[in-house]
Amino acid sequence: MAKMAASVVETGEDAFRKIFKLYKRRNPPPDFSDVIDFSECVTTDKVVPVKLDPAAVSDGDAAKVGLRPVKDWKAFNLQGYPGFIFITNPFLRGSQLFWVRQCLKTYPQKPNVCNLDMHMSPIDTQDIWDKSVPNLSSPSVGKTEPRTLLERLRWVTLGYHYNWNSKTYSASHSTPFPTELHLLSYQIATACGFPGFIAEAGILNYYKSDSSLGIHVDESELDHSRPLLSFSFGQSAIFLLGGTHRQDTPTAMYMHSGDLMVMSGQSRLFYHAVPRIVPTHQKVEALESDRCGWHSGWQGGAVVERVSEEDWAVCARYIHSSRINMTVRQVLGQGQNFPETPPRPGHPEERQEDDEDRMKRRRKSDSFNINNT
Ligand code: SIN
């Protein structure tokens, strides 16, 4: 990275933004040769393989949530990014499909919250999957306006629902966190040295081929000693990881389908962004063959279940051109509570919303997180 970065970054300027714009650029396309590809397993002075404790999670417990035995995971640290762990696709054959199906069919359902709720009534945003399936665009058709609710989905929040305006979570706006996603996160956190992780909030981002995610730090959680887990499915992305200052030149890496990132320690509060989605049909087609090679050794108590052919046909169509990212966070430390906040007159959450508020929120929420170029 440093090679290319050095030629575009001038001291004292916002190095992160420059690199973000570089990788987002369409014409001419950037040189991708410095982007780290962990799936190629090349150890450099920056990429350091790390052995996770194989005894931390039993093979049976890993399999229940669709993960391979921890001893088979390929995990890496990055020099200069303390607490950052990258794990290349630790999922058992066939189990990614289950998580993709959850992201598209299950998690957008009520009582979870999504961007469409910001300007549509709960009745209209009910059954996003069922309403979308008959009209989903075919992957063979070129770029078209999103027709269905599923294609217009940009984000879903789970558990403590993130408030995009105030950038906070609150006790008064939460719904039960999905048990199976908590279990998956718990096993991964345990394998990475964070036993007792409690998944309390999730943000799911849905990217089209021309989407990007702006530069930000995830700091709204009240306990930063707990890791942030990030899961990628579908098309690949370029992920940029910087430091605590916007002047720190970020490192670029690919995130392919199934890859995981754990941000803990100092890296937990580092700037990051997704400037570009990179089409990778090969990796997504490999998922298709995974369906046929569905792991047959699921034991009783597995939370991962086989995805029906009909459901998979819809998911496959979706991820043929899109990417899904799930981030899972623990918001509160042990014994911690949200600070008392007395009701304030005029606070948007405490008074009825009028049409103007709704329009303002609509514009803000649709463009806030994922940007479509
Ligand atoms: C995030 O930082 O919230 C998501 C990053 C990603 O999509 O990989």
Side-chain angles (χ1 to χ4, degrees):
M1 185 65 219
K3 215 175 353 123
M4 177 167 22
S7 63
V8 286
V9 174
E10 287 158 37
T11 326
E13 291 194 59
D14 182 342
F16 203 125
R17 188 157 177 72
K18 289 201 170 199
I19 301 296
F20 181 89
K21 282 165 72 180
L22 177 85
Y23 281 113
K24 194 176 153 95
R25 199 176 64 199
R26 297 277 148 185
N27 209 355
D31 174 2
F32 294 107
S33 59
D34 286 330
V35 181
I36 294 173
D37 193 341
F38 289 95
S39 68
E40 287 176 356
C41 267
V42 183
T43 309
T44 64
D45 51 355
K46 206 158 181 184
V47 175
V48 188
V50 53
K51 264 273 144 275
L52 302 174
D53 176 7
V57 176
S58 74
D59 294 358
D61 283 347
K64 279 180 188 161
V65 292
L67 295 170
R68 283 185 269 143
V70 176
K71 65 174 171 6
D72 297 336
W73 296 7
K74 293 194 166 46
F76 303 89
N77 288 145
L78 254 192
Q79 235 7 288
Y81 296 86
F84 177 77
I85 306 171
F86 194 105
I87 303 166
T88 57
N89 183 13
F91 289 95
L92 284 164
R93 282 193 77 186
S95 67
Q96 271 192 67
L97 313 189
F98 169 80
W99 293 107
V100 171
R101 204 264 324 253
Q102 294 301 91
C103 290
L104 293 176
K105 186 174 183 178
T106 309
Y107 299 150
Q109 287 175 29
K110 300 282 160 287
N112 302 329
V113 180
C114 72
N115 62 302
L116 303 169
D117 295 318
M118 301 297 124
H119 50 86
M120 290 172 76
S121 73
I123 290 184
D124 290 336
T125 59
Q126 230 169 359
D127 308 322
I128 290 178
W129 172 272
D130 290 338
K131 284 177 182 153
S132 301
V133 164
N135 299 313
L136 210 60
S137 309
S138 154
S140 56
V141 175
K143 220 177 138 185
T144 50
E145 273 304 297
R147 285 189 305 209
T148 62
L149 294 179
L150 201 54
E151 291 163 296
R152 287 162 57 198
L153 201 58
R154 293 289 162 265
W155 54 261
V156 166
T157 54
L158 312 171
Y160 287 123
H161 298 284
Y162 187 64
N163 182 323
W164 301 98
N165 294 320
S166 64
K167 296 188 167 64
T168 57
Y169 303 96
S170 67
S172 61
H173 195 200
S174 82
T175 55
F177 193 92
T179 317
E180 70 287 352
L181 183 53
H182 163 70
L183 275 176
L184 173 72
S185 308
Y186 178 90
Q187 304 300 8
I188 292 165
T190 305
C192 292
F194 297 95
F197 178 80
I198 304 171
E200 291 177 320
I203 300 181
L204 277 51
N205 282 315
Y206 300 81
Y207 297 77
K208 294 191 297 172
S209 57
D210 56 0
S211 305
S212 59
L213 178 72
I215 307 163
H216 67 282
V217 176
D218 290 292
E219 58 189 354
S220 303
E221 297 73 27
L222 300 189
D223 183 357
H224 297 145
S225 71
R226 306 270 77 198
L228 182 147
L229 273 46
S230 174
F231 304 81
S232 279
F233 300 111
Q235 298 298 307
S236 301
I238 291 187
F239 181 84
L240 295 178
L241 182 62
T244 48
H245 300 100
R246 291 278 292 250
Q247 282 79 4
D248 298 329
T249 301
T251 294
M253 61 198 86
Y254 287 108
M255 281 200 86
H256 299 303
S257 196
D259 288 348
L260 302 184
M261 287 185 334
V262 177
M263 293 170 81
S264 66
Q266 286 181 40
S267 295
R268 175 71 180 74
L269 294 174
F270 282 179
Y271 280 103
H272 54 276
V274 177
R276 194 180 191 106
I277 301 303
V278 185
T280 35
H281 298 303
Q282 211 186 354
K283 303 236 181 224
V284 170
E285 270 148 28
L287 282 186
E288 189 60 48
S289 65
D290 278 2
R291 217 191 87 79
C292 312
W294 175 256
H295 179 72
S296 55
W298 308 118
Q299 309 294 321
V303 302
V304 175
E305 57 191 36
R306 196 182 181 114
V307 174
S308 72
E309 226 163 281
E310 303 77 64
D311 281 2
W312 179 244
V314 177
C315 294
R317 242 201 287 175
Y318 184 92
I319 62 166
H320 192 268
S321 58
S322 305
R323 169 178 187 255
I324 306 167
N325 174 264
M326 309 194 283
T327 49
V328 177
R329 307 114 193 271
Q330 178 167 342
V331 176
L332 301 167
Q334 206 182 7
Q336 196 172 22
N337 287 308
F338 288 104
E340 291 280 324
T341 42
R344 284 180 291 127
H347 189 271
E349 281 198 344
E350 294 149 14
R351 70 172 162 88
Q352 287 294 323
E353 210 182 32
D354 60 24
D355 283 345
E356 201 181 320
D357 289 328
R358 205 168 290 123
M359 285 310 291
K360 264 192 214 149
R361 272 204 304 137
R362 172 185 179 161
R363 285 193 292 271
K364 208 164 178 175
S365 67
D366 267 347
S367 63
F368 187 87
N369 203 5
I370 304 247
N371 298 309
N372 302 306
T373 43

